[in-house]
Amino acid sequence: MARPNAEVEALLREYADLIAITGKGAFKQRAYERAARAIGGHPTDVATLDAKRLREIPGVGSSIADKVEEYLRTGRVAAVEERRAAVPPGVRALLDVPTLGPKKAMTLYRELGVSSVDDLSAALRDDRLAELKGFGPKARENIEHGIAVLRQSSGRIALDAALDVAEETVARLAEVAGCRRCAYAGSVRRMKETIGDIDILAAADDPEPVMAAFRALPLVDEVVLRGRTKTTVRTVDGLQLDLRVLGEDSWGAGMIYFTGSKAHNIRLREIALRKKLKLSEYGLFDARTGRKRAARGEEQVYRRLGLPWIPPTLREDRGEVAAAQRDELPELVTERDIRGDLHSHTDLTDGVAPLTEMVAEAARRGYHYFAVTDHAPELRMQRMTLEKARAQREQLRELAGRHGRLKLLHGTELNIDPAGEVDWPAEVLAEFEIRVASVHSHFELDRAAQTRRLVRACENPHVNIIGHPTTRKFGRRTGIDVDLDAVFAACARTGTALEINSHPNRLDLNDEHILRARAHGVRFAIDSDAHAPAHLAHLRFGVAQAQRGWLSPDEVINTWTLTRLRRFLRKPGGGRGS
DNA sequence: GCCGTTTTCGGCCCGACTGTTTTCAGTCG
């Protein structure tokens, strides 16, 4: 289903978790986690590597290489199966509850037989945790809150995972004889930040062969609904997929209907009604005679309604239909407009690839410029020092000019402390060409303190970009409590850009924040925050959120020429800046 | 389990925060 590297990464992570839960072997657990990360971020497909080449991946030795080979050969790993037998899968799922780690999960399982998040909820309700050592009132409250955060996202999955499933399914169905067209629609096509279910549309004269192929997909666990033109299945991961088959002559109307959003479709039907037309998934019809007026292409249907084609990322009933009527749809930023990435990490801190590989990938993507922004010393676990940063700058200089037009920028990701101060004194900050500043801790400060903190960071004459501004993480954290409008205003006033972090678990800022921020006249940076070469491709998710926030290229600083970008990086009061 | 100008053993990313365990374990980044 997913890329082999992603599958192997998931398997090794699971094994690491199982080691942690069963206790003993903290370093072994770390070794598996490290190998999982390295393989997940490895540029070559592990299925094409033999044991010797596998061992060349940092963190992969003979034992892990053997397990990877075993998995690729047989689809299973005996050692993993053994651990699975000892720990019910629901116990591992407890680790997804923030503030619950392996130790507490195991205690809950051993002492109370808790083996799922639902069990845990029940145990909390019956106050059975109170008897346990290490589960005081505050800890129980934290677990309760953790479950609530988790539940907010449960039933939904991250956009990247949904796109993998959607693209794979479309590719399979497109091969079926008699399938004339196939595409995914729904919230995946609108690139919503999380996805509840996946809608697939196919065009065929006879639906049944496509339906049969759909039901037979390896990822299908259960056929929920089975009709002539519509089938619903549930995957082994609990995700719901809907397939609808239409005639090819209804394709455009069908795509509009199944892409949604529902609210957008209602707007369109209202317009149709005023024009004495009727819009359904089969087409746009004359209300009186029933004659078909348009259906084959989305453009034709929109045109018949007196509208230009509206990009799926805008179809949320946020004024796009009215804007289309006035012919004032924004010119949306696209991935092609992006000239470079301004936030990335190497193995000097917590990335998994060396500088050379990150730069090579940036060059391969055709970028004009690329900023390397490893963590600064304040994030202690990264062990950054000024000497290391300067050595990296030298290395970057040596690489300059080796990749055609690609220009390399030496930057850093600073840590914003609770008072809004960042690492390093001004003169050191001035040595860097670009400075991202982000919150990495103290998520619990109150609203006034968080707001002061971020505004202060904006006012720092060396801070160019506020990284992942809300710090929310899908299924982990809701994000800090902060007066975003005050921060947006500070960004606009000080010439500080706001990041749209493209990591599929962050997407921070999200579409709604972007819409609000842009009203303040803020500039944005769409960044990957890549920790591996493959992560540079996450940019597509950030660009999609930018589109959902109605951004045009001019509002995004990394669509600009390097000359214009450099001018922006010299903030008012930023001194030499560079 | 991985790794090596500390090289085949003995380390391993380090520190803060939190709640509760009265001396520190567990979780997080």
Side-chain angles (χ1 to χ4, degrees):
Chain A
M1 166 70 8
R3 287 170 45 247
N5 293 37
E7 277 180 32
V8 171
E9 177 180 3
L11 183 86
L12 296 179
R13 276 187 197 280
E14 181 188 351
Y15 193 55
D17 282 348
L18 294 175
I19 291 167
I21 293 167
T22 47
K24 296 182 289 265
F27 290 114
K28 192 162 148 180
Q29 174 209 347
R30 286 261 191 80
Y32 276 96
E33 273 169 4
R34 183 166 129 78
R37 266 178 5 115
I39 288 174
H42 195 67
T44 28
D45 183 341
V46 285
T48 67
L49 302 179
D50 58 19
K52 184 168 167 291
R53 299 286 304 282
L54 281 170
R55 284 199 304 274
E56 286 169 8
I57 301 173
V60 178
S62 57
S63 175
I64 293 180
D66 286 350
K67 289 189 178 72
V68 173
E69 274 212 307
E70 182 186 351
Y71 177 71
L72 294 170
R73 206 175 53 246
T74 68
R76 50 198 299 284
V77 175
V80 179
E81 304 283 334
E82 263 171 48
R83 297 260 179 175
R84 275 180 185 162
V87 183
V91 178
R92 184 181 174 226
L94 296 178
L95 303 186
D96 291 334
V97 178
T99 74
L100 272 193
K103 295 288 182 295
K104 284 188 168 153
M106 194 55 186
T107 304
L108 288 166
Y109 174 54
R110 209 178 40 227
E111 303 295 326
L112 300 176
V114 168
S115 62
S116 71
V117 177
D118 285 338
D119 283 359
L120 180 57
S121 275
L124 274 166
R125 213 166 39 238
D126 306 343
D127 212 22
R128 274 158 36 218
L129 266 57
E131 326 151 4
L132 292 183
K133 231 177 152 165
F135 291 83
K138 193 70 197 177
R140 298 203 295 277
E141 195 186 313
N142 288 340
I143 293 170
E144 210 156 0
H145 178 250
I147 293 176
V149 171
L150 189 66
R151 287 265 158 84
Q152 267 182 14
S153 59
S154 78
R156 301 190 71 81
I157 64 169
L159 176 58
D160 63 327
L163 263 170
D164 274 351
V165 174
E167 285 170 350
E168 169 88 10
T169 304
V170 167
R172 298 262 190 143
L173 298 184
E175 288 169 1
V176 176
C179 180
R180 295 174 183 275
R181 305 191 70 160
C182 187
Y184 55 82
S187 53
V188 182
R189 184 166 179 235
R190 301 200 312 277
M191 300 285 270
K192 243 183 110 148
E193 59 185 26
T194 63
I195 305 298
D197 53 29
I198 296 176
D199 297 295
I200 310 279
L201 192 62
D205 297 335
D206 176 12
E208 183 44 33
V210 186
M211 294 292 194
F214 183 59
R215 293 191 302 265
L217 289 175
L219 58 79
V220 171
D221 184 48
E222 182 195 355
V223 178
V224 179
L225 190 151
R226 180 178 176 155
R228 209 181 70 77
T229 65
K230 184 180 168 178
T231 296
T232 299
V233 300
R234 209 181 336 269
T235 71
V236 283
D237 300 321
L239 184 64
Q240 186 172 307
L241 267 71
D242 292 326
L243 171 66
R244 184 73 184 261
V245 184
L246 297 166
E248 198 178 9
D249 51 358
S250 299
W251 181 257
M255 280 300 279
I256 290 177
Y257 184 86
F258 290 107
T259 297
S261 64
K262 198 170 212 160
H264 175 84
N265 288 348
I266 289 170
R267 293 276 171 222
L268 296 184
R269 287 203 287 272
E270 283 169 1
I271 292 176
L273 226 52
R274 278 199 295 275
K275 294 184 184 294
K276 305 226 182 313
L277 297 166
K278 185 173 77 78
L279 179 62
S280 75
E281 66 265 50
Y282 297 107
L284 186 61
F285 301 91
D286 190 299
R288 211 167 43 80
T289 64
R291 219 183 107 218
K292 189 185 278 190
R293 309 305 293 268
R296 198 166 254 280
E298 283 195 338
E299 293 84 351
Q300 283 125 296
V301 175
Y302 277 109
R303 197 182 317 130
R304 265 289 177 187
L305 291 169
L307 301 171
W309 179 79
I310 300 177
T313 45
L314 290 184
R315 299 184 196 172
E316 297 290 347
D317 188 29
R318 292 171 175 159
E320 74 280 5
V321 174
Q325 283 179 307
R326 296 191 308 266
D327 203 22
E328 286 173 9
L329 283 176
E331 180 215 342
L332 294 182
V333 61
T334 68
E335 224 182 330
R336 278 192 308 281
D337 296 318
I338 302 293
R339 288 175 191 252
D341 202 323
L342 300 178
H343 184 175
S344 72
H345 297 272
T346 74
D347 60 5
L348 185 61
T349 56
D350 57 353
V352 300
L355 179 67
T356 49
E357 287 178 21
M358 296 300 288
V359 168
E361 180 64 13
R364 204 193 58 75
R365 290 178 63 84
Y367 285 154
H368 294 236
Y369 45 79
F370 181 61
V372 176
T373 55
D374 270 314
H375 289 289
E378 204 51 45
L379 268 194
R380 310 247 178 237
M381 65 177 183
Q382 309 298 354
R383 294 181 138 188
M384 181 55 109
T385 62
L386 185 53
E387 291 67 37
K388 285 190 193 174
R390 284 176 173 158
Q392 183 182 56
R393 189 172 306 146
E394 269 316 302
Q395 206 191 341
L396 217 54
R397 280 195 187 124
E398 284 163 24
L399 286 173
R402 289 204 201 160
H403 291 282
R405 71 180 174 193
L406 179 68
K407 294 278 190 298
L408 300 172
L409 306 180
H410 192 231
T412 179
E413 183 182 10
L414 303 163
N415 181 57
I416 304 174
D417 78 9
E421 301 300 322
V422 298
D423 325 49
W424 282 321
E427 60 272 21
V428 171
L429 291 178
E431 293 177 15
F432 291 92
E433 287 178 281
I434 182 166
R435 290 133 306 228
V436 180
S438 324
V439 165
H440 299 101
S441 62
H442 299 90
F443 305 115
E444 302 305 326
L445 295 181
D446 68 38
R447 188 178 178 85
Q450 296 286 26
T451 306
R452 270 199 307 278
R453 179 188 195 186
L454 282 179
V455 168
R456 177 113 183 97
C458 292
E459 287 169 346
N460 185 314
H462 295 288
V463 168
N464 302 120
I465 299 172
I466 301 295
H468 42 76
T470 77
T471 76
R472 69 98 179 245
K473 265 190 171 174
F474 177 53
R476 299 299 296 176
R477 290 199 294 266
T478 48
I480 54 175
D481 183 15
V482 59
D483 178 356
L484 281 173
D485 287 294
V487 176
F488 297 159
C491 283
R493 176 166 52 82
T494 58
T496 311
L498 284 160
E499 182 174 75
I500 299 170
N501 189 296
S502 303
H503 193 285
N505 287 342
R506 287 196 186 264
L507 297 180
D508 178 16
L509 302 174
N510 70 11
D511 52 355
E512 287 173 18
H513 299 141
I514 296 165
L515 281 166
R516 264 166 69 195
R518 92 186 268 269
H520 290 266
V522 177
R523 304 296 193 180
F524 300 84
I526 307 175
D527 293 333
S528 68
D529 194 359
H531 287 66
H535 296 168
L536 290 179
H538 284 155
L539 212 80
R540 78 186 276 211
F541 305 119
V543 169
Q545 300 317 302
Q547 292 187 346
R548 293 174 57 83
W550 290 51
L551 291 191
S552 52
D554 199 54
E555 294 168 279
V556 178
I557 64 172
N558 49 325
T559 67
W560 296 354
T561 63
L562 185 56
T563 310
R564 186 176 175 200
L565 174 65
R566 281 194 160 132
R567 208 153 48 226
F568 178 83
L569 296 176
R570 284 193 295 272
K571 287 176 84 170
R576 180 158 69 88
S578 141

